[in-house]
Amino acid sequence: MTTVNDDATSSDWDGRYYHVDQVLNTPGPRTEDSFQAGDAVKDFLRNQCKILVIGAGGLGCEILANLALTGFKDIHVIDMDTIDISNLNRQFLFRPKDVGNPKALVAAEFIMQRVPGVKVTPYFGKIQDKDEDYYLQFNIIVCGLDSVEARRWINATLVNMVDEENPESLKPLIDGGTEGFKGQARVILPTISSCYECSLDMLNKPTAFPICTIANTPRLPEHCIEWASVLEWPRVHGEKKLDTDDPEHIGWLYNTALTRAKEFKIEGVTWSLTQGVVKNIIPAIASTNAIIAASCCNEAFKIATSSAAFLNNYFMLIGTEGVYSYTFEHEKRKECPVCGGESLDITISKEWTVERLIEMLVEKQDIQIKKPSLSSGIKQIYFQAPPQLEQATRPNLEKKVSELVEDGGEVTVTSSTLPFNLSLRIKYT
Amino acid sequence: MSQSGSQTIEQATTAIQVDAQPDNKTRRYDRQLRLWAASGQAALESSRILVISATATSTSILKNLVLPGIGHFTILDPKNVSAADAGNNFFLNGYSSIGKSRAEEAVPLLKELNDSVDGEAVVKRVEDLLKTDDGKQWIKNFTLVIAHNLPNGPLETLSDLLWEELEDPPLMIVRSAGFLADFYIQFREQCIIESHTETAPSIRLTKPFPALQEWADNLDYSKVDPTEHAHIPFAIILIKEADQWRAEHNGALPNTYEEKAQFKKRIRERVVKIDEENFEEAETQAVRLWSEKGVPSDIEELFSLEPLTSSSSKQTLNPEFHALLKTLHAFVNSPEGPGNLPMSSTLPDMKTDTESYVKLQRMYKAQSAIEATQFKELLASKYPQLTIDEDMVDSFIKHAHQIKVLRGKKYGALEADKDAISAALQAWPSDTATTHFALNALSILLEKNSDPTTITAETLKSEVENFVGQGVDIPEDLDNAVGELARSPTADLPNTAAFLGGMIAQEAIKMITKQYVPVNGWCVVDLIESKTGIVNN
Ligand SMILES: [Zn+2]
């Protein structure tokens, strides 16, 4: 590993920050009074501020470079992935020789080599490996992830971490995301402004094909691919797990889907489509990532320096037809399971079984809980794990909810993937 | 699935054939090919881009063009790397680059992003190139020219040069200072076949082609068994219901809210057992009947558009596209034709069984092939001397419902038009235009005196008042813009540079691939408010 370049002749040479210093030396017409122009703000930014970047992929690479150039010198980065050839069209800190290596390590190395005096500390692993103490050491957290699950986790963790007695426990979270020519950047002040969970219903609903279509009435090439991956793979390969990064596995799915498509006279099964469907590939380009990452880093810079007001709180960009953007304040949801505090009212039929309720929780756009476990007070309704408890509560799946929970009663929903509880108030029609 | 059926599939796939796996290049570009496909990629790969200056903004733009794989880039810059450049530009080698040519230092660091892209540094002043015929011709030979913070004098000369001939390359003008920026694309005409707009093509529910009509006519609800009933495609249901409605309403389709509601109610009443998803789908898709137009109004408008013609050479711009457009007009009006845009062969999914869907899909494909042939015959008879690439013709036919034509204006058109200035200042939100005009003033003042300490909010403001002219109200937002520019008149902030790097590259990709729709007018960026806006020309 290269170490931080501390050479006095190369670090912080005269005029290094000529550009950034223009906005740090003088306030603008809209700058707030708290701005400490000059040495104080520069000292904080360059010598004290500690910032965490989550994700070293499409957004992460850009975020790291921008933060380093603007003068953040103590940067940490977490990423659990290794570099794939399909990353190279946008993740500009990686070269073909890096394929297979951990993103966090390669990215950190590159930044330190290119921008002298900046220390980037990588962690190759999951965000869930780290505890509150770890997250408490940072001033700001910037998140460039493509996984909804991971974002919900970090969001909930940071909201839960807020201790009213300790203002230092409130960590601004800046979150970016892109899809093709579209993207968004937002600033979340945990417990104060709308959180990631509050806006879950704004996500595009992933396309799900009904099992009966896949099994009995395929019409589209996608149906054949889903058949190959969801039904045929487990039937033929048993316990062997499908690895969507393994070309042999994709090859098998492709051939299987193609054969089925031929049988049903359906056209359009290709390798690329097979990969797209099974990996749920989202188109991604360098330019959109650059815009969104720049926006995230610009907010981080404004928060760290107070040189200008930061975004309140959502910036949305659509670049398919001209340049259209929309900046607005996304409102907190009072029944948000993470930051809201009020329970969510759910009205269902008295005839609904527990299983039907679980199906709804999985599908509902503002909830989206995979594998939920349900309890009401001390009563266990259904638990996904451990196996003994699952077995003991399984008979309840067939029962009507109304037999287990009274009208207006509370049901607590938990899931091992999410660090929070959702509380529902059940009403019957 | 029967056991034997699955067996065949297993046998067929025991010998795994991975030869269909894409090559390295396709894998590398996979995430972008899903947006602009091989045709867009080919256009990018044959493009040659000139970028004037190697500032942080310029190299950010280039980074986002080299990564997706343009063919070639040239950086034109006479300057050496300053201490400030070494601090804010990621594509320089930090301290060790100071004093060396900025273009020559940047080029290798950009090239290493993508082996298939070529690049060169030209250490010259654009002002000098603009003085010689060779220099001018050299500039005109690029696919696209991008200039960041080029002083107004040479910028105007460059803009004039690239407005001489119709086929001169587009010029992208980018200006930034601190948290504020704007950019403009000077181009004559952008003809877009694949605009990727989300408007769905007509599936001919109001004017079914014969095979489709026949299916609907032959369908007797009372004679199909319950399984079949639940599998009638919504298109057939809607055609049948529409026919009946028209028969009872003097040939008219539902028009008022009440009529539409009644029409939907009829569909609901057709349901014989619960969970007939095809009828549910027909009810939600009924909107197609009253929104489906033979020719959408924006396409209709294009029919009256005359191609741009050079006064000197009598050559027209984009002759192939305009020939296709004229043919489309003739096709729509042709008595032998369907009276519609030619059919796009893409059919939406419908809740039905495989057999019906495949049958329907084949009908649409067959009809679309018939109409494509009609279109091509018409094209050949109207333009016998013109050879147009077959792929382009097919793409035009397929995307006829989403074609777009943009006509641009020369750089400076807004400032030359007092009414346009006044209209821009009255538009909402008012800070879009004030920021743009403040950036104009900054560029004028810096050209007169390059010492940034001479820039103040007052000098900027009076410069704006000067060219806006008397009698035009200037919104108070101007104070914010001039104050911000006076604070950081020459700052090329890394975040602003990166933001513009993304925006300009994105627009450049749209211009080069002729896919998606680029900005027409000034796009203004305010990274204090974290927003963008457009000043229309
Ligand atoms: Zn919330």
Side-chain angles (χ1 to χ4, degrees):
Chain A
M1 294 281 278
T2 350
T3 48
V4 180
N5 192 341
D6 281 328
D7 189 344
T9 55
S10 59
S11 278
D12 284 6
W13 56 88
D14 252 5
R16 176 176 187 172
Y17 293 114
Y18 166 83
H19 293 278
V20 173
D21 281 352
Q22 292 185 37
V23 294
L24 295 183
N25 287 337
T26 330
R30 287 169 282 181
T31 308
E32 292 203 7
D33 294 339
S34 60
F35 176 54
Q36 295 179 290
D39 292 341
V41 66
K42 291 179 202 169
D43 178 59
F44 176 74
L45 177 65
R46 292 166 201 165
N47 303 322
Q48 295 175 46
C49 190
K50 204 168 181 178
I51 190 162
L52 173 66
V53 179
I54 299 180
L59 286 166
C61 284
E62 308 268 349
I63 291 168
L64 289 169
N66 295 339
L67 293 177
L69 289 175
T70 42
F72 289 91
K73 289 197 171 164
D74 189 357
I75 305 172
H76 290 238
V77 59
I78 302 188
D79 196 300
M80 60 182 280
D81 281 342
T82 54
I83 299 159
D84 179 76
I85 185 170
S86 64
N87 300 147
L88 302 180
N89 82 322
R90 61 195 186 283
Q91 302 181 13
F92 72 109
L93 305 178
F94 311 141
R95 304 288 172 265
K97 68 171 169 49
D98 301 319
V99 168
N101 290 322
K103 289 183 178 180
L105 272 56
V106 177
E109 187 93 352
F110 195 105
I111 296 288
M112 289 195 282
Q113 199 262 327
R114 183 63 64 83
V115 191
V118 173
K119 187 176 155 207
V120 185
T121 311
Y123 174 69
F124 171 43
K126 293 162 74 174
I127 50 172
Q128 291 86 348
D129 297 346
K130 301 291 187 183
D131 59 11
E132 279 199 3
D133 282 346
Y134 174 82
Y135 292 108
L136 272 167
Q137 66 180 309
F138 301 104
N139 298 93
I140 300 170
I141 294 161
V142 191
C143 194
L145 285 164
D146 53 9
S147 146
V148 173
E149 203 90 317
R151 283 150 117 181
R152 290 174 81 177
W153 189 90
I154 189 69
N155 174 68
T157 301
L158 295 182
V159 173
N160 292 343
M161 214 165 79
V162 176
D163 169 5
E164 277 178 32
E165 309 285 294
N166 175 17
E168 291 295 310
S169 66
L170 194 152
K171 307 295 179 190
L173 171 65
I174 303 165
D175 178 71
T178 71
E179 176 175 356
F181 286 95
K182 302 172 186 172
Q184 82 284 332
R186 62 191 294 188
V187 173
I188 295 167
L189 296 180
T191 70
I192 294 173
S193 63
S194 147
C195 81
Y196 186 74
E197 198 73 21
C198 287
S199 59
L200 214 55
D201 57 345
M202 286 173 74
L203 294 175
N204 285 335
K205 211 179 168 146
T207 29
F209 303 108
I211 282 289
C212 64
T213 301
I214 298 169
N216 306 319
T217 58
R219 299 174 297 269
L220 305 180
E222 288 87 345
H223 297 153
C224 302
I225 296 165
E226 283 279 292
W227 179 80
S229 66
V230 176
L231 299 176
E232 277 303 272
W233 180 276
R235 195 186 65 77
V236 174
H237 294 99
E239 290 296 295
K240 187 161 117 189
K241 231 184 143 222
L242 175 65
D243 175 6
T244 56
D245 288 325
D246 184 337
E248 296 242 340
H249 290 193
I250 297 285
W252 188 89
L253 294 178
Y254 166 66
N255 282 304
T256 308
L258 195 62
T259 310
R260 182 168 172 86
K262 280 194 185 131
E263 189 188 329
F264 284 96
K265 303 186 175 63
I266 295 166
E267 291 171 21
V269 171
T270 61
W271 183 287
S272 158
L273 186 70
T274 306
Q275 218 181 10
V277 170
V278 299
K279 294 181 77 171
N280 188 25
I281 291 178
I282 292 164
I285 48 174
S287 51
T288 315
N289 283 336
I291 299 169
I292 296 304
S295 182
C296 291
C297 293
N298 187 50
E299 301 313 325
F301 178 80
K302 292 191 290 186
I303 290 172
T305 63
S306 302
S307 54
F310 59 86
L311 169 66
N312 180 25
N313 50 29
Y314 206 113
F315 168 74
M316 191 167 82
L317 172 83
I318 300 174
T320 43
E321 259 193 277
V323 173
Y324 172 79
S325 77
Y326 182 45
T327 305
F328 65 101
E329 183 177 349
H330 188 274
E331 305 250 343
K332 265 179 92 157
R333 210 153 51 93
K334 48 182 195 308
E335 67 281 11
C336 169
V338 173
C339 73
E342 285 185 20
S343 21
L344 182 64
D345 285 337
I346 297 262
T347 308
I348 61 170
S349 152
K350 268 206 153 117
E351 301 304 310
W352 274 29
T353 60
V354 170
E355 192 168 20
R356 179 75 189 81
L357 176 65
I358 289 177
E359 264 174 41
M360 187 205 73
L361 294 174
V362 173
E363 278 174 23
K364 206 167 175 305
Q365 192 64 10
D366 54 357
I367 300 178
Q368 299 181 44
I369 294 188
K370 284 181 201 150
K371 297 197 170 182
S373 294
L374 272 58
S375 58
S376 181
I378 52 158
K379 199 189 301 165
Q380 292 161 342
I381 298 177
Y382 179 69
F383 274 73
Q384 307 264 0
Q388 302 91 313
L389 193 53
E390 196 278 332
Q391 213 169 1
T393 53
R394 200 184 301 159
N396 282 345
L397 287 176
E398 312 270 301
K399 291 187 187 159
K400 288 176 184 167
V401 183
S402 53
E403 292 170 23
L404 301 165
V405 184
E406 63 185 37
D407 194 24
E410 299 254 340
V411 167
T412 305
V413 184
T414 55
S415 167
S416 60
T417 55
L418 297 169
F420 59 83
N421 300 338
L422 168 68
S423 103
L424 304 177
R425 193 182 300 112
I426 306 284
K427 288 179 181 160
Y428 301 105
T429 47
Chain B
M1 237 15 275
S2 74
Q3 200 56 32
S4 63
S6 313
Q7 282 300 328
T8 356
I9 284 162
E10 244 166 84
Q11 281 154 9
T13 52
T14 29
I16 293 171
Q17 292 190 355
V18 195
D19 54 358
Q21 191 185 353
D23 58 17
N24 269 358
K25 185 181 154 188
T26 312
R27 287 165 66 201
R28 181 186 177 115
Y29 292 143
D30 179 82
R31 300 303 185 269
Q32 67 200 47
L33 290 172
R34 291 173 194 273
L35 290 173
W36 52 68
S39 59
Q41 190 62 32
L44 275 182
E45 285 170 18
S46 56
S47 68
R48 299 175 58 85
I49 315 290
L50 172 65
V51 176
I52 299 173
S53 86
T55 59
T57 297
S58 293
T59 57
S60 293
I61 297 168
L62 272 172
K63 157 184 152 284
N64 300 321
L65 291 172
V66 170
L67 285 166
I70 51 168
H72 184 281
F73 69 92
T74 302
I75 301 183
L76 178 65
D77 192 336
K79 288 191 177 151
N80 287 339
V81 176
S82 68
D85 294 329
N88 81 332
N89 195 329
F90 198 79
F91 296 92
L92 295 174
N93 271 315
Y95 186 77
S96 65
S97 285
I98 295 176
K100 298 175 187 165
S101 153
R102 203 156 67 157
E104 284 173 354
E105 285 291 285
V107 166
L109 297 186
L110 285 163
K111 266 170 73 173
E112 72 174 26
L113 298 174
N114 191 341
D115 288 341
S116 51
V117 178
D118 204 4
E120 62 167 344
V122 174
V123 186
K124 285 182 183 164
R125 282 158 38 93
V126 67
E127 292 89 329
D128 296 335
L129 289 169
L130 288 167
K131 280 178 198 150
T132 69
D133 287 343
D134 282 355
K136 288 181 190 170
Q137 200 48 53
W138 181 78
I139 293 172
K140 285 187 174 214
N141 282 342
F142 287 94
T143 316
L144 183 74
V145 179
I146 303 172
H148 175 234
N149 278 357
L150 187 63
N152 221 38
L155 182 57
E156 272 175 15
T157 315
L158 182 64
S159 147
D160 291 345
L161 177 74
L162 298 182
W163 199 257
E164 281 177 354
E165 311 292 334
L166 289 177
E167 55 276 13
D168 286 333
L171 169 64
M172 299 183 75
I173 294 151
V174 190
R175 313 185 301 183
S176 65
F179 292 109
L180 305 181
D182 63 5
F183 68 87
Y184 183 81
I185 317 174
Q186 168 179 299
F187 66 96
R188 292 282 187 167
E189 181 180 72
Q190 180 81 352
C191 298
I192 308 158
I193 295 174
E194 291 175 64
S195 67
H196 297 266
T197 57
E198 278 159 24
T199 43
S202 153
I203 53 168
R204 302 283 172 82
L205 297 180
T206 48
K207 281 190 211 167
F209 50 90
L212 199 56
Q213 185 68 56
E214 200 184 306
W215 185 342
D217 289 346
N218 291 341
L219 172 72
D220 184 344
Y221 288 128
S222 63
K223 294 211 171 100
V224 294
D225 69 43
T227 317
E228 256 182 89
H229 194 266
H231 283 152
I232 306 166
F234 81 76
I236 303 299
I237 298 173
L238 287 174
I239 290 167
K240 202 165 179 61
E241 294 301 327
D243 281 344
Q244 198 191 333
W245 182 277
R246 273 186 289 228
E248 295 162 14
H249 295 83
N250 299 318
L253 280 168
N255 188 28
T256 65
Y257 178 81
E258 286 74 23
E259 285 174 340
K260 289 172 185 171
Q262 205 195 332
F263 184 85
K264 288 184 180 177
K265 188 161 163 271
R266 280 188 180 189
I267 295 176
R268 272 200 300 280
E269 285 163 0
R270 293 279 181 206
V271 174
V272 291
K273 56 174 197 199
I274 51 159
D275 281 356
E276 284 191 326
E277 290 181 313
N278 54 332
F279 283 91
E280 270 173 43
E281 196 173 51
E283 194 189 326
T284 49
Q285 296 286 341
V287 59
R288 284 178 183 264
L289 279 176
W290 32 92
S291 63
E292 199 175 81
K293 289 204 181 77
V295 184
S297 53
D298 58 326
I299 309 284
E300 185 89 57
E301 273 174 39
L302 295 181
F303 291 153
S304 55
L305 199 70
E306 284 308 315
L308 294 174
T309 307
S310 146
S311 50
S312 53
S313 62
K314 299 284 173 236
Q315 295 280 33
T316 62
L317 190 60
N318 300 316
E320 295 90 357
F321 183 93
H322 285 284
L324 290 166
L325 189 57
K326 289 265 179 271
T327 306
L328 185 65
H329 192 189
F331 178 88
V332 166
N333 288 338
S334 160
E336 289 92 58
N340 279 50
L341 297 180
M343 175 105 82
S344 175
S345 55
T346 43
L347 189 66
D349 188 22
M350 296 178 194
K351 298 228 171 7
T352 177
D353 57 301
T354 307
E355 205 189 325
S356 308
Y357 187 76
V358 170
K359 180 178 155 196
L360 198 62
Q361 201 174 34
R362 293 196 164 179
M363 275 182 187
Y364 274 89
K365 271 210 163 129
Q367 182 62 23
S368 129
I370 293 171
E371 293 180 15
T373 308
Q374 286 176 339
F375 185 95
K376 287 175 188 175
E377 282 167 4
L378 213 50
L379 178 68
S381 71
K382 282 174 73 74
Y383 299 92
Q385 74 296 357
L386 196 66
T387 45
I388 307 179
D389 181 55
E390 193 73 12
D391 289 344
M392 183 182 181
V393 180
D394 288 333
S395 179
F396 187 91
I397 295 170
K398 185 177 174 194
H399 299 103
H401 63 286
Q402 51 166 264
I403 55 168
K404 292 213 181 306
V405 178
L406 302 186
R407 290 271 166 92
K409 286 184 182 165
K410 192 180 174 303
Y411 163 71
L414 172 65
E415 284 70 18
D417 181 346
K418 292 284 173 207
D419 292 338
I421 291 176
S422 151
L425 286 168
Q426 280 163 36
W428 185 90
S430 51
D431 56 348
T432 308
T434 50
T435 300
H436 167 67
F437 291 126
L439 281 159
N440 275 2
L442 178 67
S443 124
I444 294 168
L445 291 181
L446 279 177
E447 192 171 35
K448 283 184 196 156
N449 185 344
S450 64
D451 175 7
T453 59
T454 61
I455 307 290
T456 65
E458 291 69 36
T459 55
L460 286 165
K461 201 172 172 180
S462 67
E463 190 59 44
V464 171
E465 285 161 353
N466 192 25
F467 70 72
V468 164
Q470 290 184 342
V472 179
D473 276 342
I474 302 178
E476 280 175 19
D477 299 306
L478 181 66
D479 291 338
N480 284 337
V482 294
E484 205 51 59
L485 293 179
R487 173 196 198 183
S488 52
T490 55
D492 193 3
L493 296 180
N495 291 327
T496 309
F499 192 93
L500 289 172
M503 290 242 149
I504 308 307
Q506 199 155 90
E507 296 309 299
I509 289 167
K510 295 183 204 168
M511 291 301 293
I512 297 165
T513 59
K514 298 191 165 64
Q515 293 187 39
Y516 299 92
V517 187
V519 164
N520 198 2
W522 280 93
C523 179
V524 179
V525 174
D526 179 344
L527 289 182
I528 289 181
E529 305 272 337
S530 304
K531 65 179 193 180
T532 65
I534 307 291
V535 182
N536 287 316
N537 251 331

